[in-house]
Every structure is written in structure tokens, then in C-alpha cells.
């Protein structure tokens, strides 16, 4: 019988440590719900002691996402564990994850203590956490650079103290596959109590080996892998969930293990995380990149037409790559749209559905075919909208010749408290001209830090999704919006960020 490998997703904790990828509470819940649909066994929802906002977001995930285990991270400190427990105690199945450095360089230089004190602290933390919760995970940080005998003592003592999961992190991505596999094998041999707990691994990708190291660990007896969607995470990231899972599935005869991942949800999850966290996916990324199932050479295309297996080792539908199919048009009624949303996992209250339906009609009027990806993008934008201080009304952007000075001219109207305000401006490009109009109307001094626009699906009629990051009076805020017209999407995203700034200030 195939051995079960548990999938522990840390997109919302290690993944969220990527600069600029912080999610707000609603966004975190949307991603967590999608991870539930994907079938992960554990969601590490955050690090509650790191900020009150994160504590609140983890609490909401624990209350609303019932299928997977909900874990949160804490340092080996009572105050961290108290805050963490308050955030996850409502979960159907809560797990406290505590960590403490195990390598000499971390113990001496970072913690400024000795091995014995560090071991004592780890044991005390596990015992303290155990008073709250039966499922305790302990991670000896930087395990792959730790002294092996000491690591074995830490693992043995934390299991005795009540840890039900021990996670071996390759914190700095230093390990290589043979060596890491060997470490797991020797650890299991030297600490027989590891047979009675879940032995987990958490690999970073500094040398591009996170996936290979995770696989080597599984071969040597690890039964939980910690990973993130699209491999995002601290520095070069973590092992990519989609890669580890699809290796195990594609080569199932070789490994004789299985996961509970609903693989057709992989691409949707990948796109959602990329959009929400503002982290584009490289086109040649394994499994989820835009080119992962695109065949450009004539010889390859010929082979694919004769039999897809000539050049495809994974069926696109097995990872959900058929999602781009046509689903709806402007003639689709409420019932059809509601049904499609339910199929995509969105059961919405009536007022929220009406808001989404109105936006769907506005987009469908201009873009003939609305795909599942389009619809999801519309929903995500609407669900994360903030109260409107300035609302978009209309805009016109003229060509260079008409502005009379070789620069594009924008004329834009916004709504504020029921009044319409119009401004005109030239700019170095149409988007620059539009942003200048918005700056004039709002009267804010805005520093544009980041701006991207990409197509939600392919083709000239694709829905454009714009994302901006701006700085206003020292606050950094992000915004996003979709429209069949990329300049309008950009204006709406810029306004979304401005409205978010006003919400934050309140
Ligand atoms: O990389 C690491 O060591 C971690 C631990 C907190 C598990 O993220
Ligand atoms: Zn990590």
C-alpha cells in the first residue's frame, strides 16, 4: 500500500515573508480557502506574535477553514505561544509550531547562549505549548548545519516533552540531496521515537535544491513535507508544493507514496497566490509556468498532435490547465453566473453576488468571452475592495498628435461624495497621464513604487489585471483591478490603492 505523505503548506507564513507579499485579512482567507480546496493537510496560517494584524488574520482562518489542520508559528517563548494559542484555539484541529535554533552558529551568534540552555528552552517551550494543545510541532532551526549528535538529543528530548511532529528545516538551503536523505535516515535510526511521530522536512531553495532535497527526505522516511505554492518564501523560497506533489504523482510507481492533493486545483491555486501576493510566475516554471504545456517547435507540435504522450509527461487537465475554457458571456443570467461561482468554490451572500454580477456584466459587455480565470479575477478584486473615497467614472486618452506636444493626453473623471471632478493631464505615456490626473484630483503626493499589468488569459481580448504599489505620506499600500482596457485597469488599481490608504488612515 502506498505510504501517505502529509502536505504542510506554509505559503501564508514563510511565503508571506517575501518583501511586499503581505496579504490583508480578506486576502489571507481567500488563499486559505483555496488551499483547503487543494486538499493540503496542514495550513500554516501565520506567525501571530509578529503583528496584531497577523494574529487577527490567523484567527479568522482558524474559524472559517475547517478541513485542514491550522498551524501557527511561535518562537520558543511563552508570550509567543500565548498569542498563537489565542489565534488558533477555534480551529477544528489546531497545531502549535515552535522553533529554536539548533546549529552552533545560530545558538552562539544569534541567541548568544550555549547548547544546553537552548535545549532546555526548546523542551520548556514544547511542555508549555502542550498545556494548550495536543498537536505540537517542533523545528530545530538550521538543522542541516547543526552538530548531528546534538540534533539527535534535541529531537529525542522534544519528543519526550510532547512534540507530535518534528520538522527538520534546511533553513539556509545548504543541504544536497544525498546528504539530506542520509541525515533523515540516520536520525530515524538514532532516535527510534521518530517512528511514533510525524517526521517532517522544510527545505529552502538557496542552491535550487529544495524540491530535490524534499524528495530525498521522503525516500528516507520523512512523512510530511513543508512547502509553498510557486515555491515562494524567504530569500530564494521554499520547496514548491506543485513540484513535489507532481513528482510523487508522475513517478508514483517509483516512490510508492501518495498525497491527498487535488491536483486539478494546482494551477488555480498558483495563479491566485501569484495575483494576491503580486509575485509573477516565470514562464518556464515547472508545472505552473505559462509555457509548461506550450509546444513551440514544429517537431514537438507534430508529435503532440499524433499522441500527447510524445512530449507531455503530465496531462494538462491533471493540474487544472484546461481552466481557460470559455464559460460565460454577457447573455449569461444570474443563475448561470451563480452556478459557475459555486463550481469555482465561491458561495457568496446575495449583496456580494449582486456586486460581482454588476462588474461581470460591465466586463462581459466589452469582452465577449469570460473564462473561469477571468471570473475568479473579478471576484478576487471585488472581494478585496475597500470603501470608496474616490470612485472611477470615466476617462479618455488621446493620441500624441491630438495633445499638440507629442505626449498623450488623458481626461479623467472621478466621483467624490456624489460630485464628479474632472482633470486633464499629459504624461510620458497614457498610464502616466492618467495617474497624473488622479494625483491632481486627490491632491495627494504619491510615489509610485511598483506597477505591473498582465493578461489574466491569453489573446488580444484578454482581461488585463493591473497592480500598483504606492507610497503616500510614508504609508505603502497596494491596489489591483481588472478591465478589458489595460489603461482603465491601471487607473482603477491606482484608485484602489488610494482608497486603501484612506481606509488604513481611518
Ligand atoms: O526555515 C526555517 O527554518 C523555518 C522554521 C521556522 C521552520 O521557516
Ligand atoms: Zn523557512
Amino acid at each position: 500500500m502506498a505510504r501517505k505523505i502529509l502536505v504542510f503548506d506554509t505559503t501564508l507564513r514563510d511565503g508571506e515573508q517575501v518583501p511586499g507579499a503581505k496579504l490583508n485579512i480578506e486576502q489571507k482567507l481567500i488563499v486559505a480557502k483555496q488551499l483547503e480546496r487543494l486538499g493540503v493537510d496542514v495550513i500554516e496560517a501565520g506567525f501571530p506574535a509578529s503583528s496584531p494584524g497577523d494574529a487577527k488574520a490567523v484567527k479568522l482562518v482558524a474559524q472559517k477553514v475547517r478541513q485542514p489542520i491550522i498551524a501557527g508559528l511561535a518562537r520558543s517563548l511563552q508570550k509567543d505561544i500565548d498569542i498563537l494559542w489565542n489565534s488558533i484555539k477555534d480551529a477544528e484541529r489546531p497545531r502549535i509550531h515552535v522553533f529554536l535554533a539548533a546549529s552552533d552558529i545560530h545558538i552562539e551568534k544569534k541567541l548568544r547562549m550555549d547548547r544546553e540552555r537552548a535545549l532546555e528552552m526548546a523542551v520548556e517551550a514544547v511542555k508549555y505549548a502542550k498545556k494548550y494543545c495536543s498537536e505540537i510541532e517542533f523545528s530545530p532551526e538550521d538543522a542541516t548545519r547543526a552538530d548531528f549528535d546534538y540534533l539527535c538529543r534535541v529531537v529525542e528530548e522534544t519528543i519526550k516533552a510532547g512534540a507530535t511532529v518534528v520538522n527538520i528545516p534546511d533553513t539556509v538551503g545548504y543541504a544536497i540531496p544525498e546528504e539530506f536523505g542520509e541525515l533523515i535516515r540516520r536520525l530515524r535510526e538514532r532516535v527510534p521515537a521518530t517512528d511514533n511521530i510525524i517526521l517532517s522536512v522544510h527545505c529552502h531553495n538557496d542552491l535550487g535544491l529544495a524540491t530535490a532535497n524534499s524528495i530525498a527526505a521522503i525516500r528516507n522516511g520523512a512523512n510530511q513535507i513543508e512547502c509553498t505554492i510557486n515555491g515562494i518564501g524567504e530569500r530564494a523560497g521554499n520547496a514548491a508544493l506543485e513540484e513535489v506533489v507532481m513528482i510523487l504523482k508522475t513517478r508514483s510507481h517509483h516512490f510508492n507514496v501518495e498525497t491527498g492533493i487535488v491536483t486539478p486545483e494546482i494551477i488555480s491555486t498558483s495563479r491566485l497566490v501569484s495575483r494576491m501576493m503580486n509575485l509573477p510566475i516565470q514562464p518556464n516554471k515547472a508545472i505552473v509556468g505559462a509555457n509548461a504545456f506550450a509546444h513551440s517547435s514544429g517537431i514537438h507540435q507534430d508529435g503532440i498532435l499524433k499522441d500527447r504522450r510524445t512530449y507531455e509527461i503530465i496531462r494538462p487537465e491533471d493540474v487544472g490547465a484546461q481552466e481557460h475554457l470559455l464559460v460565460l458571456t454577457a447573455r449569461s443570467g444570474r443563475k448561470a453566473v451563480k452556478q459557475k461561482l459555486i463550481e469555482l468554490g465561491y458561495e457568496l451572500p446575495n449583496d456580494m453576488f449582486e456586486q460581482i454580477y454588476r462588474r461581470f456584466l460591465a466586463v462581459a459587455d466589452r469582452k465577449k468571452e469570460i473564462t473561469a480565470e477571468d471570473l475568479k479575477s473579478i471576484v478576487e478584486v471585488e472581494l478585496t475592495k475597500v470603501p470608496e473615497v474616490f470612485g472611477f467614472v470615466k476617462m479618455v486618452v488621446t493620441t500624441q498628435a491630438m495633445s499638440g506636444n507629442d505626449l498623450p493626453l488623458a481626461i479623467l473623471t472621478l466621483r467624490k461624495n456624489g460630485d464628479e471632478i474632472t482633470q486633464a493631464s499629459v504624461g510620458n505615456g497614457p498610464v502616466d497621464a492618467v495617474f497624473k490626473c488622479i494625483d491632481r484630483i486627490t491632491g495627494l503626493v504619491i510615489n509610485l513604487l511598483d506597477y505591473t499589468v498582465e493578461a489574466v488569459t491569453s489573446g488580444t481580448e484578454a482581461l488585463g489585471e493591473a497592480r500598483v504599489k504606492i507610497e503616500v505620506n510614508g504609508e505603502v499600500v497596494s491596489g489591483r483591478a481588472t478591465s478589458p482596457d489595460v489603461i482603465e485597469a491601471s487607473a482603477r488599481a491606482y484608485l484602489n490603492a488610494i482608497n486603501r490608504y484612506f481606509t488604513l488612515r481611518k
Side-chain angles (χ1 to χ4, degrees):
M1 209 178 79
R3 181 163 62 99
K4 176 88 194 271
I5 303 296
L6 300 170
V7 176
F8 175 117
D9 182 277
T10 182
T11 304
L12 296 176
R13 198 278 297 169
D14 215 318
E16 227 204 17
Q17 287 171 212
V18 177
K22 193 111 191 83
L23 300 176
N24 63 34
I25 292 183
E26 296 82 16
Q27 289 172 322
K28 218 172 201 187
L29 185 61
I30 290 173
V31 174
K33 290 211 156 175
Q34 179 57 31
L35 291 171
E36 183 179 40
R37 276 194 285 281
L38 180 66
V40 304
D41 299 283
V42 187
I43 294 178
E44 185 164 54
F47 186 173
S50 68
S51 74
D54 206 38
K56 225 166 138 183
V58 174
K59 197 171 184 66
L60 189 67
V61 170
Q63 287 166 343
K64 302 266 179 194
V65 181
R66 308 306 283 172
Q67 199 58 38
I69 293 171
I70 304 297
L73 185 68
R75 289 170 296 181
S76 290
L77 299 173
Q78 293 195 355
K79 70 171 175 23
D80 273 31
I81 297 169
D82 293 338
I83 296 172
L84 168 56
W85 178 245
N86 184 47
S87 297
I88 58 163
K89 64 177 185 225
D90 300 332
E92 189 77 37
R93 295 156 71 200
R95 180 188 290 179
I96 293 179
H97 180 190
V98 282
F99 72 101
L100 193 78
S103 66
D104 287 341
I105 183 155
H106 276 221
I107 293 175
E108 286 163 18
K109 306 285 181 206
K110 186 180 76 172
L111 301 180
R112 297 190 189 283
M113 54 178 72
D114 60 20
R115 286 184 188 176
E116 293 312 309
R117 177 65 196 127
L119 176 57
E120 215 172 80
M121 260 183 89
V123 168
E124 276 165 16
V126 172
K127 283 188 178 157
Y128 185 76
K130 196 79 183 176
K131 284 197 263 183
Y132 284 132
C133 183
S134 59
E135 275 213 40
I136 307 294
E137 172 164 339
F138 179 76
S139 289
E141 195 190 7
D142 202 18
T144 49
R145 294 194 299 166
D147 174 77
F148 182 68
D149 292 332
Y150 177 69
L151 178 65
C152 290
R153 276 184 68 205
V154 173
V155 171
E156 188 152 29
E157 295 301 322
T158 49
I159 294 174
K160 264 195 217 147
T164 49
V165 184
V166 171
N167 175 46
I168 304 300
D170 182 24
T171 303
V172 290
Y174 180 72
I176 49 179
E178 295 83 350
E179 183 189 80
F180 193 56
E182 193 58 9
L183 173 71
I184 299 300
R185 191 189 60 72
R186 286 171 63 217
L187 184 65
R188 292 185 58 223
E189 241 171 53
R190 277 277 294 277
V191 187
T194 50
D195 283 348
N196 310 323
I197 54 137
I198 296 167
L199 187 58
S200 171
V201 291
H202 174 111
C203 298
H204 277 274
N205 205 30
D206 299 67
L207 295 175
L209 290 171
T211 297
N213 284 335
S214 306
I215 296 291
I218 289 169
R219 290 213 63 142
N220 284 280
N223 38 25
Q224 174 179 284
I225 41 142
E226 300 201 357
C227 43
T228 58
I229 303 297
N230 303 333
I232 62 168
E234 189 77 29
R235 304 182 310 282
N238 291 64
L241 179 147
E242 64 278 8
E243 292 176 12
V244 179
V245 166
M246 290 314 290
I247 290 170
L248 299 180
K249 184 176 164 93
T250 309
R251 304 299 306 272
S252 59
H253 293 306
H254 184 73
F255 292 106
N256 197 25
V257 297
E258 63 183 17
T259 70
I261 294 297
V262 182
T263 62
E265 291 290 333
I266 283 180
I267 297 231
S268 309
T269 316
S270 159
R271 302 271 154 87
L272 175 72
V273 167
S274 163
R275 286 199 296 266
M276 289 273 174
M277 294 191 153
N278 225 341
L279 296 170
I281 305 165
Q282 73 195 58
N284 58 322
K285 165 83 183 63
I287 318 293
V288 293
N291 295 347
F293 296 97
H295 303 274
S296 59
S297 112
I299 295 171
H300 289 206
Q301 285 172 351
D302 178 56
I304 284 285
L305 287 173
K306 288 174 177 149
D307 187 329
R308 297 198 74 89
R309 288 169 302 176
T310 51
Y311 287 100
E312 262 173 11
I313 57 165
I314 296 170
R315 294 186 313 161
E317 56 271 33
D318 284 351
V319 292
Q322 80 286 23
E323 282 275 290
H324 301 280
L325 296 178
L326 163 73
V327 284
L328 298 163
T329 70
R331 284 180 303 284
S332 305
R334 281 185 171 71
K335 214 166 148 196
V337 175
K338 201 170 223 167
Q339 183 54 35
K340 203 72 219 171
L341 285 169
I342 291 171
E343 278 169 32
L344 294 174
Y346 295 104
E347 289 201 43
L348 303 165
N350 275 346
D351 53 341
M352 181 56 77
F353 171 75
E354 282 304 320
Q355 180 185 332
I356 283 161
Y357 187 66
R358 276 196 299 278
R359 183 75 191 130
F360 160 80
L361 284 182
V363 175
D365 260 350
R366 294 157 71 182
K367 181 182 185 300
K368 286 183 218 106
E369 301 170 345
I370 300 290
T371 67
E373 283 298 320
D374 292 336
L375 192 57
K376 279 191 229 170
S377 180
I378 292 170
V379 174
E380 286 155 24
V381 168
E382 293 300 315
L383 285 182
T384 54
K385 259 196 173 156
V386 286
E388 187 180 285
V389 176
F390 289 97
F392 179 89
V393 178
K394 61 184 176 195
M395 61 169 212
V396 188
V397 181
T398 66
T399 57
Q400 296 178 351
M402 289 194 54
S403 69
N405 64 358
D406 277 355
L407 293 172
L409 169 73
I411 303 167
L412 178 128
T413 305
L414 298 185
R415 182 178 45 242
K416 187 182 184 198
N417 297 331
D419 294 333
E420 293 194 354
I421 315 165
T422 301
Q423 271 289 354
S425 175
V426 290
N428 286 325
V431 173
D432 186 45
V434 163
F435 286 1
K436 283 194 170 119
C437 293
I438 297 177
D439 290 353
R440 283 184 187 167
I441 296 174
T442 58
L444 295 171
V445 180
I446 296 175
N447 184 11
L448 181 64
L449 301 176
D450 200 12
Y451 164 64
T452 54
V453 59
E454 66 179 38
V456 174
T457 47
S458 53
T460 50
E461 285 213 339
L463 192 64
E465 181 169 308
R467 299 172 214 170
V468 299
K469 196 187 291 171
I470 59 173
E471 190 200 327
V472 196
N473 293 327
E475 297 276 5
V476 176
V477 277
S478 305
R480 59 195 278 254
T482 51
S483 167
D485 173 339
V486 289
I487 302 172
E488 185 186 315
S490 307
R492 286 179 181 272
Y494 199 64
L495 273 177
N496 179 239
I498 290 170
N499 285 327
R500 202 171 288 282
Y501 160 75
F502 285 115
T503 306
L504 258 177
R505 249 192 17 176
K506 263 196 217 153

